[in-house]
Amino acid sequence: MSFIKCCFEAPEVAEIIESLAQKCTDPGCCCGCCSAFRPRYKRLVDNIFPVYPQDGLVKNNMEKLTFYALSSPEKLDRIGEYLYQRAARDIYRRRYGFVIIAMEAMDQLLLACHAPTLNLFVESFLKMVQKLLESTEPELQILATQSFVKFANIEEDTPSYHRRYDFFVSKFSAMCHSAEGDQIRIAGIKGLQAVVRKTVSDDLVENIWESVHMDKIVPSLLFNMQDSRFLNNEALETAPEDQTDPPMLAETCMRELVGRASFGHIRAVLKPVLKHFDLHKLWAPQDDPNQNEFAIHTFRIIMFSIQAQYSYTVVETLMAHLDENVKSSPIIRTSIAGVLSKIIAIAAGESVGPSVLEIINSLLSHLRDSVKHGTSMTEEKQYQEALINALGEFANHLPDYQKIEIMMFIMSKIPFPLVDNHTPADNLLQSILLKSLLKVGTKYQTIHLNSTFPVSFLEPLLRMSLAPDPDMRLLVQKILHTLIDRHQNLEKLSKPTVNVTELDLVLEKSSRPDLIFINKHGPIIYDALYTSLQMDTNTPDNVEAVYTTLALLCVELASAETVIDLLQLVLGIQSLALNSTSLSTAQKFNLHALVIALLVLIPSVVSIQPLLDYANQIVDARKQEAPHLLPDLAVHYPANTEVANKLPHLLVDQMAVCENVKSGGLDPSRLAQTSPYGAGGPGVVAGGQRNSWIENARGSIIEINPTQEVDSASSSPGVQRKLPEEELTFESMKKVLTEPAETRKEAEARRRKQLSDTFRTATFSELVRRTQPKHDVLQNKLNEIFKSLSANERRSPGENDKKKIEKPAYEQNFPELFFY
């Protein structure tokens, strides 16, 4: 014995004896001496099993096994393998009670041991879990799932490079579709949740985001979510971990899956979702194609679970899917667009910069493509309405400055109307884009008109207000209404009326920027409105819309500075109703009703009592003699109705308006002048060319050559204009560079004072003398040119050379006009 101790260490002796001894793996062996020669870990494992499985795990012996595993961690892998062998044998023999005890022992060892060698034990543990999942017993499958969930919640000290979870993903996904009861489906969902937790947190294990895994996980979750009770518009709540409802548990797992996805993995989750909806026809269910609550519910879960900065990716993916379904039925496209309208607002808050215009451009592209599919299909119109709603919802959650950019962007996409060459498709596209513009406009709150109507937006909008289609013109007026109205007066002014006191209008003093805006852009706005009233295709709705626009401008910009312009327009509209040859009698009556409604509104808003009394006198007289010249507007009037031209005493008199305006304390001089509206005024003439007084004035300014200088020095006494060679010399430049700024300012002040004193003290003759030109270079050059022409004429044959030629007019000096 001493020889053995001398030559061998104690552990080696134990190993030799173990190898030589006959190993008996049957605890029921009749030879009691066999167990004495078996390894200690096997004896400890055998001792945890009771004689009868219903007695459960022997706790005292389990504690000894746990202590042994903690003190000898290198034995963990052998313990695990031995437990697996016993469990596999018991499964084969259908002794499921001992299988449950073995799994419980595995769980306790797994939770107790945290050693670097735990990876080897985990392999045995996963083999046992897989063995249980492969069995046909639901109880063992549920038990295996519970053990796997416990394992997934353990943070391992060292990573594993070779572990794979393909089987677990496939098995748990299959359990999610089980028809044997909710317990199996719940176990499958929990198993998938555990797989996601275990793999997402460790970058070294298998990539769970690959399509081979996501194509199994995501559809399994969606299959269980389809029966969710939350589709009935009930409150969204987070399900607890022990939730026994498969749909709720599936929603919880879906939220966790989406929430853990990084930017590069979002599309890996979304593609299976879209594919599942396509294959199972969930966009438009067969029982009710117009109901897509499940699709909306699913994508709302995704949008609220995804990281906020990635939310616009969902919108982009849905739009790309809409592109792929461009040839699908309108019902499916409408459903996808409806889902988009429900979730796009969630992404709007995180969309910045180019992504905003990309989304808007994509929606507009789908609208343009929709026009190509047909112009009369009801389903196609529903699809277009869904896209417009999506556009409005997206714009509603953007800041105001981006809404203005969106409206300008939409306006740039609208094809302008052509008078002679336009197709129904063009008209439909214009109408759809204008509806989109109106939808965005309803989400915008106007503060200052100059920021709401930049020139690049106002001018195209006014141009569209002259479209040949009356419905298009009506849409433009509605856009103007929603953008001008800042005090919720739109509903009150939607119809012409002479009972202004009953409207209870909300009035506020106009700000200076608004008055500057209307003074600058008012003429082109009034001109466009006047021109639109000349259209012979106008309906009463068009006339009422123009009235609403003018009434809102009057209410929002109520001031003495805007009254005269509005009254000029009112008189111009009356002149149009009296003199137009293209308008029908009913249209002329509508214009007369519009005129009297505005004539009552203007003095009521600006408080010009004499003018208001005059307007009420006309209203009372018309009520007695010509009620057809008062609101409400009608399409047809009785055949024997008297035309307004034969009732001059019921018309608005220009001189009477001037007198009443003057009595109200305003200057009527501009109102007494020839109206800019009327003959030769704005309108559409032959060839579709507009001959407006504004454009004429603008053209006369443009014709001035910008390179010509205005010689102001020659008309200012006491100021001598320098010749070019005197102005630009080296010395003068040097003087400018070296002279102090204070010196230049003092010199300018002296020159201004000298000029002011000259105008104040000098006589008229002195001023004339000082302003006479000293250089007649231009006159002399003209004289030379015309003399040469005259000489050629005198030398021409057939002329009398001796004939005395009088001094031509061009040789005479131009008169000094200011003498007279």
Side-chain angles (χ1 to χ4, degrees):
M1 193 66 182
S2 61
F3 171 77
I4 295 176
K5 291 182 179 180
C6 177
C7 297
F8 301 96
E9 297 292 335
E12 294 180 358
V13 173
E15 293 292 335
I16 292 172
I17 295 174
E18 182 180 344
S19 64
L20 294 176
Q22 180 182 3
K23 299 179 175 61
C24 181
T25 59
D26 191 355
C29 179
C30 61
C31 181
C33 63
C34 291
S35 61
F37 291 97
R38 303 180 68 222
R40 184 181 179 189
Y41 73 89
K42 288 189 177 182
R43 296 198 305 269
L44 291 173
V45 170
D46 292 337
N47 292 337
I48 67 173
F49 291 93
V51 177
Y52 302 103
Q54 57 267 24
D55 293 339
L57 183 68
V58 182
K59 295 184 179 180
N60 292 334
N61 293 336
M62 186 64 211
E63 292 176 359
K64 294 178 183 179
L65 177 62
T66 304
F67 178 77
Y68 176 77
L70 290 172
S71 58
S72 301
E74 70 276 3
K75 297 294 185 179
L76 262 176
D77 57 332
R78 299 185 183 184
I79 295 173
E81 181 66 24
Y82 185 57
L83 278 171
Y84 167 72
Q85 291 175 1
R86 289 200 56 139
R89 184 186 60 199
D90 290 334
I91 290 175
Y92 179 74
R93 295 179 179 179
R94 298 184 181 277
R95 297 195 296 185
Y96 297 132
F98 291 110
V99 176
I100 295 173
I101 292 173
M103 195 71 252
E104 185 179 353
M106 275 280 200
D107 292 342
Q108 292 191 21
L109 288 173
L110 188 69
L111 296 174
C113 300
H114 297 280
T117 55
L118 186 62
N119 272 334
L120 299 177
F121 175 75
V122 169
E123 295 301 324
S124 301
F125 171 81
L126 293 178
K127 284 170 61 178
M128 181 179 285
V129 172
Q130 180 173 343
K131 193 71 176 178
L132 267 63
L133 289 173
E134 289 174 345
S135 68
T136 58
E137 288 296 321
E139 184 180 0
L140 295 184
Q141 294 180 6
I142 295 173
L143 178 65
T145 304
Q146 293 172 352
S147 297
F148 187 83
V149 171
K150 295 175 184 177
F151 161 71
N153 293 327
I154 296 175
E155 295 183 4
E156 300 183 51
D157 296 334
T158 56
S160 175
Y161 301 93
H162 59 281
R163 196 178 301 157
R164 299 184 64 84
Y165 296 94
D166 300 46
F167 168 79
F168 297 102
V169 172
S170 301
K171 183 60 181 178
F172 290 140
S173 299
M175 292 169 64
C176 290
H177 294 81
S178 174
E180 298 180 7
D182 288 350
Q183 294 302 318
I184 298 295
R185 292 167 61 185
I186 289 174
I189 296 170
K190 289 184 176 180
L192 290 178
Q193 190 176 30
V195 172
V196 173
R197 288 179 180 176
K198 192 64 180 175
T199 54
V200 169
S201 59
D202 192 349
D203 294 334
L204 297 175
V205 299
E206 188 174 2
N207 185 8
I208 197 66
W209 303 109
E210 293 180 357
S211 59
V212 66
H213 300 311
M214 285 292 113
D215 288 344
K216 299 173 184 176
I217 296 175
V218 173
S220 301
L221 298 177
L222 292 175
F223 174 77
N224 286 275
M225 289 169 57
Q226 286 176 230
D227 299 329
S228 176
R229 59 189 176 87
F230 286 92
L231 295 182
N232 299 324
N233 296 325
E234 296 184 18
L236 289 174
E237 297 178 358
T238 303
E241 291 294 331
D242 58 348
Q243 179 62 257
T244 58
D245 182 20
M248 276 303 303
L249 189 60
E251 288 184 16
T252 303
C253 187
M254 177 65 79
R255 294 175 190 274
E256 185 173 347
L257 178 67
V258 175
R260 290 175 178 268
S262 62
F263 178 74
H265 299 144
I266 292 298
R267 299 184 191 276
V269 180
L270 295 177
K271 287 181 180 179
V273 174
L274 299 174
K275 186 177 180 180
H276 182 80
F277 275 85
D278 290 340
L279 293 177
H280 296 276
K281 299 179 180 179
L282 296 177
W283 294 115
Q286 294 181 353
D287 54 346
D288 192 354
N290 296 321
Q291 298 296 327
N292 59 343
E293 280 86 357
F294 178 60
I296 296 173
H297 178 66
T298 301
F299 279 92
R300 283 178 64 86
I301 288 176
I302 293 174
M303 291 299 293
F304 281 117
S305 303
I306 199 172
Q307 299 181 44
Q309 65 269 28
Y310 305 148
S311 57
Y312 72 93
T313 308
V314 182
V315 176
E316 291 179 349
T317 306
L318 261 180
M319 287 185 174
H321 193 65
L322 200 55
D323 290 333
E324 297 171 1
N325 286 271
V326 67
K327 295 183 179 179
S328 301
S329 67
I331 296 177
I332 293 177
R333 286 185 280 118
T334 301
S335 178
I336 298 175
V339 173
L340 201 57
S341 66
K342 297 297 183 182
I343 70 167
I344 198 170
I346 305 172
E350 301 298 329
S351 298
V352 294
S355 63
V356 174
L357 292 182
E358 285 178 6
I359 293 175
I360 296 299
N361 191 34
S362 180
L363 289 171
L364 295 179
S365 299
H366 289 302
L367 283 171
R368 286 196 297 269
D369 294 338
S370 174
V371 174
K372 300 176 184 177
H373 284 81
T375 59
S376 59
M377 296 175 58
T378 304
E379 295 174 348
E380 200 69 36
K381 291 181 179 178
Q382 292 176 352
Y383 170 59
Q384 295 163 4
E385 291 295 332
L387 288 175
I388 292 173
N389 289 335
L391 182 62
E393 289 298 324
F394 182 72
N396 188 32
H397 291 77
L398 293 174
D400 283 347
Y401 73 92
Q402 286 188 331
K403 293 176 186 176
I404 289 293
E405 292 178 357
I406 290 174
M407 288 191 286
M408 294 173 63
F409 185 75
I410 296 175
M411 179 59 68
S412 67
K413 300 293 182 180
I414 299 177
F416 284 109
L418 303 176
V419 176
D420 299 322
N421 185 17
H422 61 277
T423 63
D426 292 333
N427 288 341
L428 181 60
L429 180 59
Q430 292 170 359
S431 176
I432 290 173
L433 293 179
L434 284 175
K435 287 180 180 178
S436 305
L437 186 58
L438 177 61
K439 191 71 175 182
V440 177
T442 57
K443 310 296 183 180
Y444 177 77
Q445 181 61 43
T446 301
I447 303 299
H448 296 294
L449 293 178
N450 55 353
S451 59
T452 304
F453 294 103
V455 177
S456 55
F457 175 61
L458 178 62
E459 290 186 351
L461 190 63
L462 293 178
R463 203 183 316 168
M464 282 301 303
S465 69
L466 304 178
D469 188 1
D471 293 334
M472 214 90 64
R473 299 198 297 271
L474 186 61
L475 276 174
V476 175
Q477 296 301 328
K478 289 182 178 179
I479 294 170
L480 290 173
H481 298 167
T482 188
L483 294 178
I484 295 174
D485 181 36
R486 291 177 293 188
H487 298 90
Q488 286 70 49
N489 292 316
L490 178 57
E491 291 297 327
K492 305 171 185 176
L493 298 172
S494 58
K495 297 281 187 180
T497 179
V498 293
N499 300 317
V500 178
T501 54
E502 301 176 1
L503 297 180
D504 192 21
L505 298 173
V506 179
L507 302 177
E508 185 179 348
K509 185 178 180 181
S510 301
S511 63
R512 189 62 186 168
D514 287 343
L515 294 178
I516 294 175
F517 168 82
I518 198 62
N519 288 334
K520 182 177 180 180
H521 301 292
I524 62 172
I525 297 175
Y526 299 146
D527 176 58
L529 296 175
Y530 177 81
T531 305
S532 67
L533 291 174
Q534 296 181 0
M535 305 279 186
D536 56 3
T537 56
N538 280 337
T539 64
D541 291 337
N542 292 109
V543 179
E544 288 177 353
V546 173
Y547 163 80
T548 304
T549 304
L550 287 171
L552 287 172
L553 286 173
C554 177
V555 171
E556 294 291 337
L557 302 169
S559 71
E561 301 178 24
T562 59
V563 169
I564 303 300
D565 293 331
L566 286 170
L567 290 175
Q568 273 188 325
L569 179 59
V570 168
L571 294 173
I573 295 173
Q574 178 177 264
S575 177
L576 172 65
L578 294 172
N579 302 322
S580 176
T581 57
S582 59
L583 299 180
S584 65
T585 303
Q587 290 172 332
K588 292 180 180 179
F589 290 160
N590 291 340
L591 293 184
H592 284 295
L594 168 67
V595 167
I596 192 61
L598 289 174
L599 190 65
V600 174
L601 176 67
I602 293 172
S604 300
V605 172
V606 193
S607 299
I608 307 177
Q609 191 60 41
L611 183 61
L612 179 60
D613 296 339
Y614 173 68
N616 288 329
Q617 291 176 6
I618 298 178
V619 170
D620 294 337
R622 288 186 180 185
K623 286 180 180 179
Q624 298 295 329
E625 301 181 42
H628 58 279
L629 300 182
L630 294 172
D632 293 327
L633 309 187
V635 180
H636 300 288
Y637 290 88
N640 57 352
T641 304
E642 192 75 24
V643 295
N645 301 60
K646 297 181 180 180
L647 303 170
H649 60 288
L650 299 180
L651 300 178
V652 179
D653 182 63
Q654 181 178 2
M655 297 307 298
V657 171
C658 292
E659 293 176 359
N660 288 297
V661 167
K662 186 176 182 180
S663 301
L666 300 181
D667 182 14
S669 56
R670 277 197 301 126
L671 190 59
Q673 297 173 359
T674 303
S675 173
Y677 310 96
V684 179
V685 295
Q689 299 294 328
R690 300 184 64 233
N691 181 23
S692 73
W693 62 279
I694 300 169
E695 292 177 355
N696 289 338
R698 185 181 302 165
S700 63
I701 297 174
I702 296 174
E703 290 173 0
I704 298 177
N705 189 350
T707 59
Q708 295 177 354
E709 293 184 355
V710 180
D711 193 358
S712 60
S714 61
S715 62
S716 299
V719 178
Q720 300 296 331
R721 177 178 176 176
K722 298 181 180 179
L723 295 177
E725 60 271 11
E726 296 175 354
E727 293 176 353
L728 186 60
T729 62
F730 177 76
E731 293 297 331
S732 62
M733 292 177 64
K734 181 179 179 181
K735 181 179 179 182
V736 170
L737 293 175
T738 58
E739 188 178 32
E742 292 76 7
T743 305
R744 289 198 300 272
K745 291 180 179 178
E746 292 177 359
E748 288 291 336
R750 285 196 300 271
R751 282 194 292 270
R752 286 196 298 270
K753 187 175 184 305
Q754 180 183 1
L755 182 62
S756 177
D757 293 338
T758 302
F759 270 105
R760 289 177 179 176
T761 58
T763 61
F764 181 74
S765 301
E766 179 66 14
L767 292 176
V768 172
R769 183 185 63 79
R770 292 194 178 195
T771 55
Q772 283 181 347
K774 296 181 175 60
H775 303 283
D776 296 331
V777 179
L778 178 61
Q779 186 68 42
N780 294 336
K781 182 59 68 175
L782 289 173
N783 290 339
E784 291 177 5
I785 294 172
F786 289 122
K787 282 180 180 179
S788 63
L789 293 175
S790 300
N792 292 334
E793 291 178 359
R794 285 195 295 268
R795 287 194 297 268
S796 61
E799 293 288 341
N800 186 7
D801 294 340
K802 295 182 180 179
K803 183 178 179 181
K804 183 178 180 182
I805 301 178
E806 297 181 357
K807 187 176 181 180
Y810 56 77
E811 293 184 6
Q812 301 177 8
N813 290 331
F814 294 111
E816 297 293 342
L817 298 181
F818 59 82
F819 282 176
Y820 310 98

